[in-house]
Amino acid sequence: MKVLVLGGGVIGVSCAYFLARAGHEVELIDRQSGPALETSFANAGEVSPGYSAPWAGPGVPIKAIKWMLMQHSPLVIWPLLDPAMWRWGAAMLANCTAKAYALNKSRMVPIAEYSRDVLKALRAETGIAYDDRAQGTLQLFRTQKQLDGIGGDVEVLKQYGVPFEVLDRDGFCRVEPALKHTQHKFVGALRLPNDETGDCFQFSNRLAEMAAALGVKFRWNTRIEALQVGGGAITGVFTNGPTDAGLLRADKVVLALGSYSPTLLAPVGLRIPVYPVKGYSITVPITDATGAPESTIMDETHKVAVTRLGDRIRVGGTAELAGYSLNLREPRRGTLEHVVTDLFPNGGDVSKASFWCGLRPMTPDGTPIVGPTSVQNLLLATGHGTLGWTMACGTGRVIADLVSGKKPEIDVSGLSMARYG
């Protein structure tokens, strides 16, 4: 079967690879010059099934107000005359209930856990390397109130059988020795030992090379203009690129365009509540390995992740609602620099850090949109939010199974756009 994959981020590349491995003829199209040059380029580096939870939950609206009043705020909203932003925001608020949180998390955890297992198997089978580490994630709490408030999260971890440890200062310094210099700033930590880290950009490029060896054809520098629909199916994809591809045809089309997915779908009558939430990162060269993190540390107060990627420290965070703007705002850089120097003052040279931002494709319920649509040969793989890297391999396997007419190995009934009616 011939399959077109639209989008060359980590989700699109993963779909292309697993489709090709399943025996399909695959062609991937993207406007960039290579894989993972947008949202997948410099993310926080976490493969964290243990943190697979929706942003929308009980108490979040009040917390959001407090966050916006902080000096180093984890949340920034730029009010726009954009109906899509306000619809998305209203839908997210509607999901801030205990019932919705439990349902949404029950949909997110299985694909995140499955994806981690698929990634492990892929690494064992192929030897793919991407500055990967498997040393867990450490969530640090600056106040006793934060530490006392993890009871609900711990119950959810128990419910889904996710291993965890609650650590005091001696405990978190044992797994992250460099924190011994700043341990007095924190009262305790929650550790998820099964989480991993790795460079998503490296992974995507190496997986693309492996996909090409399986026969995947890549059309880079090619814009996807529109979908052609007839008889309830996609009859072609209009493109514009250096090779003058024009109208491309296939038996199946997989749309993995992240935050830009709704733009392509709306003209054919499909509406999905995916909206861009900008995230920022800095990448800091390590100057003293003994003063740098061993894996990933989450600063609960600032909602910032600090991750070891080879000889670099990746610092990622901030949720900024600003439409499709890619402006790099210096105050966000200030927040990231503050956190990494506050935790690891001797680890890296922030004066030599590179600064980046990307648009996370967020759904109001936090759950990705993976699976079929009412257009009979069109499948979606989008809306992964902050968990695209975490859920990429699992999404690719699920899409390959669905295209092949096989039942996926996990329950995906709650992942399709049908849940929005």
Side-chain angles (χ1 to χ4, degrees):
M1 190 178 295
K2 183 173 182 180
V3 186
L4 290 178
V5 176
L6 311 183
V10 68
I11 299 294
V13 170
S14 296
C15 289
Y17 172 80
F18 285 105
L19 283 163
R21 206 170 78 166
H24 300 287
E25 178 188 351
V26 183
E27 192 168 351
L28 184 148
I29 304 131
D30 193 271
R31 64 186 177 186
Q32 296 292 344
S33 59
L37 288 173
E38 295 193 30
T39 302
S40 302
F41 180 69
N43 64 19
E46 301 169 85
V47 179
S48 300
Y51 283 104
S52 294
W55 284 10
V60 166
I62 294 174
K63 289 180 182 178
I65 294 171
K66 293 179 180 178
W67 289 333
M68 286 189 289
L69 297 175
M70 290 170 55
Q71 179 185 359
H72 295 291
S73 174
L75 175 63
V76 179
I77 299 176
W78 296 88
L80 301 174
L81 296 175
D82 182 357
M85 173 192 281
W86 298 108
R87 283 196 302 269
W88 182 89
M92 184 177 179
L93 287 174
N95 277 277
C96 290
T97 66
K99 182 178 179 181
Y101 181 87
L103 175 62
N104 295 331
K105 189 171 179 72
S106 74
R107 291 167 169 169
M108 297 171 71
V109 170
I111 189 167
E113 293 279 332
Y114 176 62
S115 188
R116 191 223 21 242
D117 294 343
V118 173
L119 176 59
K120 282 184 175 180
L122 176 70
R123 198 164 57 233
E125 293 164 8
T126 67
I128 188 171
Y130 43 92
D131 278 342
D132 49 295
R133 290 181 172 228
Q135 295 176 235
T137 299
L138 192 71
Q139 185 178 11
L140 285 174
F141 304 106
R142 292 176 182 266
T143 68
Q144 190 63 42
K145 183 178 179 181
Q146 290 174 340
L147 184 60
D148 293 342
I150 67 173
D153 292 331
V154 165
E155 288 305 313
V156 171
L157 294 172
K158 290 178 179 177
Q159 178 185 349
Y160 291 101
V162 179
F164 69 92
E165 300 173 284
V166 180
L167 303 175
D168 59 13
R169 286 173 177 158
D170 288 341
F172 67 67
C173 287
R174 187 170 59 251
V175 296
E176 287 289 349
L179 288 175
K180 66 179 181 290
H181 303 294
T182 55
Q183 60 176 297
H184 61 280
K185 300 178 181 181
F186 306 96
V187 298
L190 175 67
R191 182 172 182 249
L192 302 174
N194 282 6
D195 283 2
E196 301 184 7
T197 58
D199 189 317
C200 185
F201 175 74
Q202 283 187 21
F203 173 84
S204 301
N205 276 267
R206 288 170 185 170
L207 192 64
E209 293 170 2
M210 292 160 54
L214 292 174
V216 174
K217 180 178 180 180
F218 291 92
R219 288 186 184 269
W220 303 116
N221 300 303
T222 301
R223 298 190 68 84
I224 301 158
E225 304 288 358
L227 302 175
Q228 182 185 73
V229 180
I234 302 294
T235 55
V237 177
F238 289 104
T239 66
N240 183 5
T243 56
D244 294 323
L247 184 65
L248 301 177
R249 302 181 187 277
D251 302 301
K252 298 279 186 180
V253 176
V254 177
L255 191 146
L257 290 173
S259 297
Y260 298 91
S261 302
T263 305
L264 200 65
L265 292 173
V268 300
L270 297 179
R271 301 194 181 277
I272 56 172
V274 170
Y275 197 78
V277 177
K278 190 194 295 185
Y280 290 85
S281 77
I282 57 173
T283 303
V284 183
I286 291 176
T287 53
D288 178 3
T290 64
E294 290 296 324
S295 187
T296 290
I297 288 83
M298 286 288 299
D299 185 329
E300 174 62 19
T301 298
H302 298 100
K303 303 293 183 183
V304 167
V306 183
T307 302
R308 174 77 164 264
L309 295 177
D311 59 358
R312 301 157 294 149
I313 302 172
R314 176 71 49 75
V315 190
T318 303
E320 183 176 282
L321 281 168
Y324 288 85
S325 166
L326 287 170
N327 290 339
L328 286 167
R329 304 185 191 277
E330 284 301 315
R332 307 287 79 74
R333 180 176 186 145
T335 295
L336 302 176
E337 289 183 353
H338 166 74
V339 171
V340 71
T341 55
D342 198 44
L343 269 67
F344 301 101
N346 303 315
D349 186 351
V350 295
S351 70
K352 296 179 180 177
S354 57
F355 187 31
W356 172 89
C357 69
L359 301 178
R360 311 178 185 107
M362 298 289 298
T363 61
D365 55 5
T367 308
I369 304 174
V370 179
T373 68
S374 57
V375 177
Q376 63 187 28
N377 62 340
L378 175 65
L379 296 94
L380 302 183
T382 187
H384 293 77
T386 60
L387 296 166
W389 183 197
T390 295
M391 296 180 175
C393 286
T395 296
R397 274 287 297 273
V398 165
I399 289 293
D401 286 342
L402 291 173
V403 169
S404 303
K406 294 171 58 179
K407 183 180 179 181
E409 295 177 330
I410 59 169
D411 180 11
V412 296
S413 58
L415 300 183
S416 79
M417 66 175 291
R419 69 179 185 270
Y420 298 118

